[in-house]
Amino acid sequence: DNFNTTASQDSTLSVVMKYRCRMLFTTRSRFDNYDSMEVTEIAGKQALLSIAGCFFSDAEKYQSVLEQIIDTVHSHTLAVELAARLLETGILEPMDLLEKLKEEKTSLDADDKIGITKDGQSRKATYYDHIHTLFSLYQLAGDEQDIMRSMAFVPTTGISSRVFAGWLMLRNMNTINDLVEKGFIQTKSCHSIALHPMIQEVAITETKPSVRNCHTLLNSLQELCLRHGEEVSYYKQLFQTVNNIVTSIEKDDTASYLRFLEDSFPYMQKYGYESGMELILTELASMLKDNTIGSVSDRALLLDFRAANEKKPEKAIKLEKEAVTLISEVTAENALLAANLHANLGGLYKQTSKLELAKQHMETGIHLLEQYGLAPYHDSIPQITNYAVLLTDMGESYLGLSALQRLSRVIKESNSDVSGDYAVVQEAMGNICLSIGDVLQATTHFKNALAIYEVLFDAEPELIEEKKQDILETYTQAGVQLGRQWLDAKN
């Protein structure tokens, strides 16, 4: 029972397997060369309630609370038994235990000792001790603990094992495969890996992940988020990992953590990942209440992020103006931020039809980019695109189209003509061509944009359909039926 080892590490297995009788092992390890059956959690909640009833005499009275406790401990049988025994003999009432389990999870702080018999051994210990002894992460080697520490942030739905290995800069998959063989890491479909929710909680408590001891993971994620012109197919898993980091990591390096949050937010904004954006805004606001943390630029950036997340344009303008005001003196260090703030304020003025104010701030932003040699940066792409659209709205469409044509050549030469940036510019050029009546050229640009979106969002068909509908609406607003014919042919 509980034969948690691997075939290559155990010297007695080969001897035992030669016995002339049938052997049955229970183990969390994987033995691929032997007949095996996976035993998962008990699926029926009624069965788990019955288990709880064996140890807690008031189980029927508190059934609804026990059901929530079962969900909170992920239907893990031993955890259900421990919780029930704790309710029978401990000081905590059912609702108190539920709240503590939700908040503290496997690090439950309860001094009452629980006596159980497991694997033929009788033992009295706290809930925490029983759970952590069961998984024994402390027995893993140092490199294995490092991987478990970072795996604790991966969503329980899984991430590609190769992608995760890349995040940790691993030279091979050996240690990950060892942890899979030992049963600590689960394999999912499509070569994905994850931790069982219970092991994930134990890993966070046991390995104590922090900004410093997880710096390789955070640096990799931060670098990904800084590649604004590139798209990744696993962006949802990326953002879920960032969310878990915000929720669970120990912030022992506030400067590095602040940069991590500030670089993650715009990439989430690009994909419209609102839950992550809200979480980062809350975290940044909490951190920057402390005047010893961050700088004026950090506080201006927080106002900019809040404006980007604000649904009411007038309130967003107020926040953006506050951000611009904070940067009282533009220097080489803050020029890119100042340019972005003016561009964003210009975009908000455009939304509210204050076109002259919009033009003034957009031109200020572009001037700062040129003045400080920042025009090749990714940030110039949305700025020039928005400025071109504004010129079109103000009756200067040919100037706007010329600016976008230059920009598309720069993107093609410096990045790629199948990037998201290139698609955005193509779509903007299509809109301008349609507004001046050049329907055929508009259709060419829209086709180029949609072809890129179909490559980038191959795994997200609903996003592709949304783009098609947006383009169709553009044609409809222009009173042109060609868009419908083209989209029908495309479908």
Side-chain angles (χ1 to χ4, degrees), residues 39-49 51 70-71 74-77:
V39 181
T40 58
E41 294 83 358
I42 295 173
K45 191 165 287 184
Q46 194 57 48
L48 289 167
L49 286 169
I51 291 175
I70 289 168
D71 289 336
H74 314 292
S75 301
H76 192 278
T77 318

Side-chain angles (χ1 to χ4, degrees), residues 33-314:
N33 297 323
Y34 302 95
D35 292 332
S36 63
M37 179 178 69
E38 184 177 3
V39 181
T40 58
E41 294 83 358
I42 295 173
K45 191 165 287 184
Q46 194 57 48
L48 289 167
L49 286 169
S50 298
I51 291 175
C54 294
F55 308 106
F56 179 40
S57 54
D58 288 333
E60 190 173 336
K61 178 182 176 181
Y62 293 101
Q63 179 175 330
S64 62
V65 180
L66 283 174
E67 287 178 352
Q68 295 179 69
I69 287 175
I70 289 168
D71 289 336
T72 303
V73 299
H74 314 292
S75 301
H76 192 278
T77 318
L78 178 63
V80 172
E81 178 186 341
L82 291 171
R85 286 182 181 274
L86 191 58
L87 289 175
E88 183 69 17
T89 60
I91 197 170
L92 290 172
E93 292 291 331
M95 278 303 299
D96 296 331
L97 177 60
L98 174 62
E99 292 306 316
K100 284 180 77 68
L101 282 169
K102 283 182 176 178
E103 182 180 345
E104 300 170 11
K105 304 185 187 299
T106 58
S107 58
L108 178 71
D109 181 17
D111 293 331
D112 294 300
K113 291 190 175 181
I114 312 161
I116 65 168
T117 300
K118 181 160 180 62
D119 305 331
Q121 298 290 322
S122 295
R123 183 168 176 266
K124 271 197 169 187
T126 63
Y127 179 95
Y128 174 95
D129 289 335
H130 279 304
I131 291 293
H132 286 255
T133 300
L134 174 67
F135 294 109
S136 305
L137 294 190
Y138 53 82
Q139 293 182 354
L140 294 175
D143 56 344
E144 292 175 326
Q145 289 198 30
D146 288 342
I147 287 176
M148 292 295 290
R149 185 178 291 117
S150 293
M151 274 295 299
F153 299 125
V154 170
T156 53
T157 51
I159 185 73
S160 160
S161 56
R162 290 189 179 90
V163 168
F164 179 73
W167 288 353
L168 295 191
M169 305 293 181
L170 299 180
R171 296 174 60 186
N172 54 58
M173 299 291 292
N174 294 342
T175 309
I176 289 177
N177 290 336
D178 285 345
L179 287 167
V180 170
E181 189 177 355
K182 291 176 180 178
F184 288 101
I185 293 178
Q186 294 180 333
T187 54
K188 304 274 186 177
S189 58
C190 303
H191 304 289
S192 291
I193 55 174
L195 297 184
H196 183 281
M198 181 66 78
I199 295 182
Q200 185 181 48
E201 292 176 8
V202 172
I204 289 172
T205 307
E206 195 83 14
T207 65
K208 296 179 172 52
S210 71
V211 174
R212 285 185 176 145
N213 64 28
C214 291
H215 67 277
T216 301
L217 173 65
L218 267 65
N219 288 346
S220 293
L221 300 183
Q222 189 171 357
E223 186 179 322
L224 271 173
C225 291
L226 285 170
R227 298 177 188 167
H228 296 288
E230 296 181 22
E231 282 72 26
V232 292
S233 59
Y234 52 85
Y235 66 90
K236 284 185 180 177
Q237 294 96 319
L238 167 65
F239 297 150
Q240 287 166 349
T241 303
V242 172
N243 282 6
N244 290 339
I245 288 170
V246 173
T247 304
S248 303
I249 203 165
E250 181 187 340
K251 291 84 176 178
D252 57 353
D253 183 348
T254 52
S256 297
Y257 182 58
L258 189 62
R259 296 287 89 74
F260 173 76
L261 295 175
E262 290 174 345
D263 290 336
S264 298
F265 183 92
Y267 206 56
M268 287 184 174
Q269 184 184 7
K270 171 181 177 175
Y271 287 95
Y273 194 75
E274 292 186 0
S275 63
M277 293 163 63
E278 290 282 358
L279 184 64
I280 288 179
L281 281 178
T282 302
E283 185 80 345
L284 283 173
S286 175
M287 289 180 68
L288 293 175
K289 283 180 182 176
D290 185 342
N291 291 329
T292 64
I293 296 175
S295 63
V296 170
S297 292
D298 294 311
R299 285 163 176 76
L301 195 55
L302 174 58
L303 288 167
D304 179 53
F305 289 168
R306 288 177 58 196
N309 215 40
E310 176 57 54
K311 306 299 181 188
K312 297 177 181 177
E314 290 300 335

